[in-house]
Amino acid sequence: MRVFILRVVSLLALASSSLGVKLYTAPDQLSTKEYDFIIAGGGTAGCVLASRLSENPDVSVLLVEAGGDHREVFNSIVPFLAGNLVNSAVDWNLTTVPQPGFADRSILFQRGHVLGGSSSVNYMAYNRASNDFYNSWAKGIGDDRWSWKSLEPFYKRHHKLAEPADGHDCSDQVVRDAHGDGPVEVSVLNYPVPIDDMVMRVSGEMGGRFSWNQDINAGDSLGFTYTQSSIGNGKRSSSATAYLDPLFESNRKNLDILINTHVTKLVQAGTSKGKPEFKTVELAQPKPGQLLTPDDDSTAGTTDDGKRYKFHAKKEVILSTGVIGTPKILQLSGIGPKDVLQKLDIETIVEIPDVGKNLTDHPMSVMYWNINQESQFDTLLRDPAQFAAQIQHWQETHKGIMAGGVSGTQSYMRLPESHPIFAEISDPSSGPHSGHTELLFGEGMIPITNIPMPDSGNYVYALAVLTSPTSRGDMQISSSDTFAAPKINPNYLATEFDRAAMVQAMRDTFTFLSHEAFKNYIDAPYGSLVNLTTDEELLKYTADHGVTINHGIGTAKMSPYGAEWGVVDPDLKVKEVIGVRVVDASVFVSYDSIDFTKPVLGWVDGLLTRW
Ligand SMILES: Cc1cc2nc3c(=O)[nH]c(=O)nc-3n(C[C@H](O)[C@H](O)[C@H](O)COP(=O)(O)OP(=O)(O)OC[C@H]3O[C@@H](n4cnc5c(N)ncnc54)[C@H](O)[C@@H]3O)c2cc1C
Ligand SMILES: *[C@@H]1O[C@H](CO)[C@@H](O)[C@H](O)[C@H]1NC(C)=O
Ligand SMILES: *[C@@H]1O[C@H](CO)[C@@H](O)[C@H](O)[C@H]1NC(C)=O
Ligand SMILES: *[C@@H]1O[C@H](CO)[C@@H](O)[C@H](O)[C@H]1NC(C)=O
């Protein structure tokens, strides 16, 4: 009898596991070592690629992800809990090298380590770049396939508007025509709070540089708007939920997903057309729970059991390992700047100096104001019983404060045309419809900087972000050990323009929040902010408390065919190499401002129609 029950149970297990795409947790569970496409990195771009490439039943695809299954991560699913994902099992736990622009502090450089990648851990603001951004990109690359007009259909194809969790009518908060019918769900104001409508009202009254814009995703990205968030039915909508989840219940047989496994490097296997061919990937699994060894030779290797596996791609290897992971794999494979590789005794097989260079990121100043009415957010964070009740409410209804994203409103702004900095430097933005800075507003003292949270009081926050930085940094591997942490140097606020624009963003925040309409709501700036007046004082505040809004790009930059600079050509193929493409945010040409999740999705979907 007992044997019989066990049999039934195991048959059931077999039956359910044979339906749909499966997750494998170790390389030796796979029945083949050869696929048409091998995608490194199951992140924002990687999940879209895996899903769309395997739509063709004649093509076999392997997706390899270092992190685990997104479906088990509660803090990723519940929008309000995104902040808890820092330094967790789904974070790479990276930090920058000390930043002179940030008072020599090393800061967190968060990246998703899970299926869905950074789209499983980000703050869900759904922003396309402006039309100027794409058009200047297309022009710079000399390839019209990257223009706004060429890419717009793919934005519509990858997402659709979802109704807000609280059920309100959002017709006048978006432009419906700018949205499509794809799988990523996008919504506005899932849990409205008083400051949201106040911000939009004041914007309407102030006009000019503070103008109101019904939908910043419709081409012109300037102005104040209700934030669109990748949230549907009160849950995070990521590239994994949108593009992979449906496959777990489908009949698709030609896609294998391998998790908890690192691509350690690409291996050259011969040459083709006189160029080295890199269609073999090497895989390894670190011991769980201790991913990156400190940057210190004495402990390097402790996470490594030494076992390596080789898999072969018949058609192509696609790197979708992100702004740090992609240049890291290229450098470990001997594709990169000779000086960096030589120091680590790695043979330079293909010298591409820009691999890891031109890292560009958006620094952010976090500011708080006291308000004279209750902020639900602050109350909630101080009261565990209320917090638990809200979690339960979310579990039962997928509604309430837990269903809401971070800022209800945001804006992109340009520096005044008369700003004295333009006497010294020409406009670094991609055009008149692109912002130099971004402001975001919300309720409560969100704990995202080093300012300790007080035990009492009610607050709103404002985030002042530099979105057209001229500073460039880099990333370099620190060891030939694949599990060692790389050196990440975003070089925040290193130029005069960047400092001037950051100061302008902070001053704009003060100007905006001192509008009459906020009089009965906002009291005074919190903490040391109250006494800041000079540019130097504002910059000192940012240096002491600044963080990143996590928009790193540019480390495997696209450039025209045959260009001396850059890493990939306009088809995303790695220059001077056969068999490798990069499809992720590391290829971005860093003109200016944007949140980068959705642009990646748009481009990936666009790219596939040309493959
Ligand atoms: C905390 C945070 C908040 C953000 N907020 C927003 C926002 O509100 N709105 C917005 O639009 N953008 C936001 N961003 C930026 C946006 O999420 C990223 O730009 C975008 O997701 C990058 O996509 P990607 O495909 O290039 O890389 P990722 O999505 O990071 O994917 C890379 C994947 O590769 C995997 N990987 C890396 N190395 C290896 C390896 N060696 N082997 C196997 N797998 C590997 C990683 O684990 C990851 O899954 C935020 C980012 C973060 C981190
Ligand atoms: C990141 O750090 C946390 C806390 O130390 C740890 O629990 C987690 O496993 C680490 N993440 C990875 C991917 O190693
Ligand atoms: C990228 O970085 C390299 C080296 O720092 C530099 O020479 C090059 O001009 C940069 N390219 C771009 C487009 O920023
Ligand atoms: C601001 O300045 C006033 C007057 O100099 C001083 O009394 C107060 O302590 C300062 N506040 C903060 C938070 O630095």
Side-chain angles (χ1 to χ4, degrees):
M1 187 63 192
R2 230 177 111 200
V3 173
F4 176 73
I5 291 174
L6 278 177
R7 264 235 191 101
V8 170
V9 169
S10 62
L11 278 175
L12 279 175
L14 206 69
S16 65
S17 66
S18 69
L19 180 74
V21 169
K22 271 182 291 184
L23 293 186
Y24 297 89
T25 54
D28 47 24
Q29 293 167 1
L30 296 164
S31 57
T32 174
K33 290 197 151 57
E34 199 167 72
Y35 292 82
D36 289 316
F37 293 100
I38 298 179
I39 304 165
T44 311
C47 290
V48 188
L49 280 167
S51 164
R52 299 273 281 116
L53 281 171
S54 61
E55 278 174 17
N56 177 351
D58 299 332
V59 154
S60 63
V61 180
L62 173 65
L63 178 67
V64 184
E65 165 57 37
D69 187 349
H70 61 287
R71 292 170 298 177
E72 294 157 7
V73 188
F74 190 67
N75 289 338
S76 171
I77 299 166
V78 185
F80 188 87
L81 302 180
N84 294 349
L85 298 165
V86 182
N87 282 147
S88 73
V90 300
D91 183 8
W92 278 83
N93 295 337
L94 300 168
T95 53
T96 68
V97 300
Q99 294 295 293
F102 278 168
D104 286 329
R105 289 178 300 128
S106 290
I107 64 159
L108 293 174
F109 197 91
Q110 216 185 321
R111 293 283 102 192
H113 174 263
V114 59
L115 284 173
S118 298
S119 80
S120 293
V121 306
N122 71 15
Y123 287 109
M124 296 161 283
Y126 180 87
N127 293 175
R128 274 177 234 174
S130 71
N131 44 17
D132 283 344
F133 174 84
Y134 296 105
N135 292 338
S136 67
W137 173 308
K139 203 167 154 218
I141 299 301
D143 191 328
D144 198 51
R145 291 176 302 173
W146 300 101
S147 69
W148 168 265
K149 214 170 132 247
S150 304
L151 290 171
E152 198 185 14
F154 303 108
Y155 282 101
K156 294 191 175 173
R157 183 194 272 195
H158 83 246
H159 86 288
K160 63 170 168 282
L161 284 178
E163 295 315 312
D166 74 337
H168 77 268
D169 176 10
C170 64
S171 302
D172 57 359
Q173 297 171 339
V174 293
V175 173
R176 286 193 183 267
D177 283 356
H179 303 276
D181 58 0
V184 175
E185 295 181 289
V186 173
S187 52
V188 283
L189 289 185
N190 287 284
Y191 189 78
V193 289
I195 190 173
D196 301 332
D197 282 340
M198 277 186 228
V199 165
M200 293 312 288
R201 204 165 61 235
V202 169
S203 151
E205 281 177 32
M206 287 178 79
R209 293 177 57 244
F210 295 89
S211 296
W212 184 82
N213 183 342
Q214 182 149 333
D215 196 327
I216 61 169
N217 289 330
D220 180 351
S221 69
L222 291 179
F224 282 64
T225 202
Y226 289 108
T227 308
Q228 296 174 16
S229 298
S230 40
I231 297 173
N233 187 25
K235 293 184 282 189
R236 176 190 294 268
S237 185
S238 69
S239 78
T241 67
Y243 283 87
L244 293 188
D245 283 1
L247 302 185
F248 296 129
E249 274 129 50
S250 75
N251 298 318
R252 207 169 285 192
K253 302 230 161 21
N254 52 334
L255 170 63
D256 287 340
I257 303 177
L258 176 59
I259 56 172
N260 304 335
T261 305
H262 285 228
V263 172
T264 57
K265 62 175 173 179
L266 312 181
V267 183
Q268 185 189 353
T271 56
S272 165
K273 299 173 203 153
K275 292 176 180 170
E277 189 175 278
F278 283 84
K279 291 188 184 173
T280 299
V281 300
E282 187 187 84
L283 309 182
Q285 294 193 298
K287 288 180 201 150
Q290 30 162 263
L291 177 57
L292 297 171
T293 53
D295 176 22
D296 166 353
D297 281 345
S298 65
T299 57
T302 51
T303 67
D304 192 353
D305 64 7
K307 271 196 211 131
R308 295 291 182 270
Y309 308 81
K310 287 204 172 79
F311 280 68
H312 184 71
K314 281 182 270 181
K315 290 187 161 59
E316 280 187 22
V317 173
I318 303 164
L319 291 179
S320 294
T321 33
V323 68
I324 302 303
T326 288
K328 182 178 153 195
I329 291 175
L330 288 171
Q331 290 178 6
L332 287 167
S333 312
I335 304 170
K338 202 170 195 164
D339 55 337
V340 173
L341 304 187
Q342 224 156 27
K343 268 189 294 194
L344 302 172
D345 286 329
I346 296 172
E347 184 201 347
T348 305
I349 303 175
V350 185
E351 187 177 3
I352 304 183
D354 274 358
V355 172
K357 301 275 169 59
N358 297 305
L359 174 59
T360 308
D361 195 13
H362 294 165
M364 165 161 92
S365 205
V366 184
M367 298 175 280
Y368 305 110
W369 272 258
N370 295 281
I371 58 170
N372 54 27
Q373 53 175 265
E374 194 202 339
S375 136
Q376 294 177 57
F377 184 107
D378 291 308
T379 309
L380 191 68
L381 285 194
R382 290 186 196 119
D383 181 353
Q386 216 187 97
F387 202 92
Q390 284 300 334
I391 294 278
Q392 194 182 343
H393 179 57
W394 182 88
Q395 278 168 324
E396 286 159 4
T397 63
H398 292 158
K399 293 183 197 301
I401 198 166
M402 294 291 154
V406 185
S407 304
T409 54
Q410 67 174 136
S411 72
Y412 287 101
M413 292 179 72
R414 290 181 64 75
L415 265 53
E417 273 169 40
S418 60
H419 196 292
I421 194 71
F422 292 126
E424 290 159 51
I425 163 171
S426 61
D427 180 7
S429 80
S430 59
H433 300 111
S434 298
H436 295 115
T437 63
E438 177 184 9
L439 309 182
L440 299 113
F441 301 92
E443 196 178 85
M445 183 164 284
I446 50 168
I448 55 171
T449 177
N450 55 4
I451 296 175
M453 290 170 66
D455 296 333
S456 62
N458 295 291
Y459 306 92
V460 291
Y461 68 86
L463 309 176
V465 186
L466 167 64
T467 52
S468 60
T470 57
S471 302
R472 297 287 180 268
D474 69 357
M475 74 67 65
Q476 292 181 12
I477 50 174
S478 60
S479 160
S480 57
D481 171 13
T482 187
F483 297 118
K487 290 197 176 85
I488 301 172
N489 177 21
N491 213 12
Y492 296 115
L493 300 173
T495 65
E496 206 186 328
F497 176 84
D498 288 9
R499 293 187 290 269
M502 179 54 88
V503 166
Q504 183 68 47
M506 295 174 82
R507 290 201 187 285
D508 286 339
T509 311
F510 277 90
T511 306
F512 188 76
L513 293 182
S514 51
H515 188 275
E516 269 206 7
F518 288 115
K519 274 234 167 74
N520 295 321
Y521 180 64
I522 289 180
D523 272 342
Y526 174 75
S528 60
L529 204 56
V530 72
N531 285 337
L532 307 187
T533 49
T534 67
D535 289 3
E536 289 66 33
E537 286 166 347
L538 292 170
L539 279 173
K540 169 88 168 46
Y541 177 89
T542 302
D544 289 343
H545 307 297
V547 292
T548 169
I549 193 166
N550 304 296
H551 294 169
I553 58 158
T555 49
K557 199 173 278 201
M558 184 188 291
S559 67
Y561 297 109
E564 301 253 305
W565 60 282
V567 176
V568 302
D569 67 22
D571 299 315
L572 300 169
K573 290 180 176 152
V574 176
K575 289 167 188 275
E576 303 308 320
V577 166
I578 300 293
V580 187
R581 283 191 217 230
V582 176
V583 184
D584 61 30
S586 59
V587 308
F588 279 52
V589 177
S590 32
Y591 289 114
D592 59 21
S593 82
I594 34 176
D595 278 325
F596 293 105
T597 307
K598 307 315 165 329
V600 175
L601 295 186
W603 295 357
V604 168
D605 231 322
L607 171 89
L608 285 160
T609 62
R610 305 196 288 266
W611 230 327

